[in-house]
Amino acid sequence: MRTFIIDRPDQELREKLVHKIDNLTKPKGSLGKLESLATKIGLIQQTLTPELNNPHNILFAADHGIIEEGVTVSPKEVTWQQLSHFSHGGAGINFLCEQHGFKLVLVDAGVDYDIPAGRGIIDMKVRKSTRNFLHEAAMTPEEFDLCIDRGAQVVDIVHAASCNVVSFGEMGSGNTSPSSMWMHLLTGIPLADCIGAGAGLNNEGIRHKLDVLTQALENYSGDGSMKNKLEWFGGYELAMAVGGMLRAAELGMVIIIDGFIMTSCVAAAAHFYPAVLDYAVFGHQGDESGHKLMLQELGADPILHLSLRLGEGSGAVCAYPILQSAVRMINRMDSFADVTVTKYF
């Protein structure tokens, strides 16, 4: 697996950031989460005047062998159909990216379809779908490592375009199943608490999904290492997101984390490099069962709770204006030292 150099942001600047924010023309702490966000972004960028430039949402798409076991209501062809839909601009993530000034980057990580050229989709296909992890490893170690590297390559592309804030999204029918497996393996939370409705399973469907994933765990015959388990029960788009997050942290970028699936990815990234969490801002707490538990396990304080469960990076992009407000606060508000307003706290 590729090596990354991810250091914690230098904390010496924290006191100066807090002092600047505390002396803006407002009661101390009165702008709540905007103040903590401004502090975090300032630490990431190591400046008292942070900026957010050219935001990108990178969306990785892939298919999953476990879908053969009836763990989702979404048919497999929805993956490539939606990826094509994204490229035409009419999906949920499209209007959100347009509204909030994001460039949408589409990546074929492992879709079980020959995507025609000329659609603006980056071809990084590892294989047409992972294998069915009920019976065998979803991906090989070599494929996992390739995904990490390719995810990092996409971040290099957007960083070269002067992007310093990035979110990640996904598309893949059935991908809440590998995400639930990763959550269970990385946190130790009981598998039953990690499994939800996904794209719309009823209670019977959720019970079936739990039965399948429980059997898959019992069938596991790998070497027992966490990396091997992530490979065995993973997905190509998930592994690419992990690589992207690690590279973004290495480059000192602000990373906005989306919902359940991307939270499982940043948990995996943090398993390898815990400092990645110092660069992560959690955009949204979704309604997928287990997401709140995973956020609590990571010590995360999400910005929004809009009952979203779309994926695609939608919750992260929706949260972006709050980050903008935090940066505008620290850069645009006057200090008590500069204006004739009595410090009133």
Side-chain angles (χ1 to χ4, degrees):
M1 178 174 163
R2 173 175 174 160
T3 298
F4 297 87
I5 300 173
I6 304 174
D7 298 318
R8 290 202 68 198
D10 189 340
Q11 298 297 303
E12 288 189 8
L13 190 63
R14 179 181 294 276
E15 184 176 347
K16 292 181 179 179
L17 283 162
V18 171
H19 178 78
K20 180 178 180 180
I21 293 168
D22 284 350
N23 284 280
L24 299 175
T25 50
K26 58 175 180 58
K28 182 178 178 180
S30 62
L31 281 174
K33 195 169 291 187
L34 296 185
E35 300 187 19
S36 59
L37 284 170
T39 302
K40 182 157 194 171
I41 296 168
L43 284 172
I44 290 170
Q45 298 183 358
Q46 289 292 290
T47 179
L48 295 175
T49 55
E51 297 180 352
L52 300 173
N53 300 320
N54 199 16
H56 282 62
N57 183 61
I58 301 172
L59 193 157
F60 297 105
D63 281 304
H64 298 265
I66 194 65
I67 200 174
E68 299 167 9
E69 306 302 326
V71 293
T72 179
V73 297
S74 297
K76 183 168 64 174
E77 62 268 21
V78 168
T79 303
W80 71 260
Q81 290 170 350
Q82 273 291 78
L83 184 60
S84 178
H85 189 199
F86 299 148
S87 72
H88 287 95
I93 193 59
N94 296 107
F95 86 79
L96 290 169
C97 284
E98 180 181 354
Q99 179 182 1
H100 299 304
F102 274 70
K103 174 69 181 297
L104 177 61
V105 179
L106 303 173
V107 182
D108 175 3
V111 178
D112 191 6
Y113 188 80
D114 292 318
I115 304 293
R119 299 282 183 94
I121 299 168
I122 300 174
D123 182 7
M124 289 194 166
K125 192 191 300 286
V126 174
R127 184 179 185 270
K128 286 186 175 182
S129 177
T130 57
R131 301 158 189 86
N132 184 347
F133 64 65
L134 179 63
H135 305 296
E136 59 182 323
M139 65 180 83
T140 67
E142 294 77 18
E143 288 170 349
F144 183 86
D145 293 349
L146 181 61
C147 286
I148 296 294
D149 193 55
R150 288 185 174 176
Q153 288 175 35
V154 180
V155 169
D156 283 334
I157 292 170
V158 304
H159 184 260
S162 300
C163 167
N164 71 355
V165 54
V166 63
S167 58
F168 297 91
E170 41 61 41
M171 181 63 216
S173 294
N175 63 5
T176 59
S177 288
S179 300
S180 296
M181 297 294 271
W182 277 17
M183 174 185 170
H184 167 67
L185 294 166
L186 290 161
T187 68
I189 293 171
L191 185 57
D193 294 330
C194 302
I195 292 173
L201 289 172
N202 58 22
N203 288 337
E204 182 180 350
I206 293 172
R207 286 193 294 271
H208 172 71
K209 184 176 178 180
L210 175 59
D211 289 344
V212 170
L213 300 192
T214 300
Q215 186 61 54
L217 276 174
E218 293 174 356
N219 292 348
Y220 170 71
S221 59
D223 65 21
S225 68
M226 184 58 70
K227 181 175 182 292
N228 181 255
K229 291 177 180 178
L230 295 176
E231 295 161 355
W232 195 285
F233 298 109
Y236 297 133
E237 81 276 39
L238 308 186
M240 284 196 193
V242 171
M245 291 173 183
L246 292 173
R247 180 57 176 154
E250 185 174 45
L251 291 168
M253 301 171 73
V254 177
I255 307 166
I256 314 176
I257 305 300
D258 188 37
F260 175 69
I261 294 170
M262 287 299 103
T263 302
S264 72
C265 290
V266 79
H271 168 76
F272 298 112
Y273 295 90
V276 72
L277 294 175
D278 290 309
Y279 299 84
V281 173
F282 290 82
H284 180 255
Q285 179 184 312
D287 274 357
E288 180 68 13
S289 178
H291 192 202
K292 181 179 180 180
L293 295 175
M294 186 160 43
L295 289 168
Q296 290 173 344
E297 188 72 20
L298 293 172
D301 183 18
I303 296 171
L304 303 174
H305 186 178
L306 300 178
S307 299
L308 305 181
R309 53 183 180 88
L310 176 65
E312 304 173 11
S314 54
V317 176
C318 277
Y320 181 64
I322 308 301
L323 274 68
Q324 290 180 303
S325 294
V327 168
R328 284 177 178 269
M329 176 201 71
I330 195 172
N331 290 330
R332 299 290 297 276
M333 282 188 72
D334 289 325
S335 168
F336 282 113
D338 299 328
V339 297
T340 55
V341 176
T342 302
K343 195 170 183 179
Y344 58 103
F345 63 90

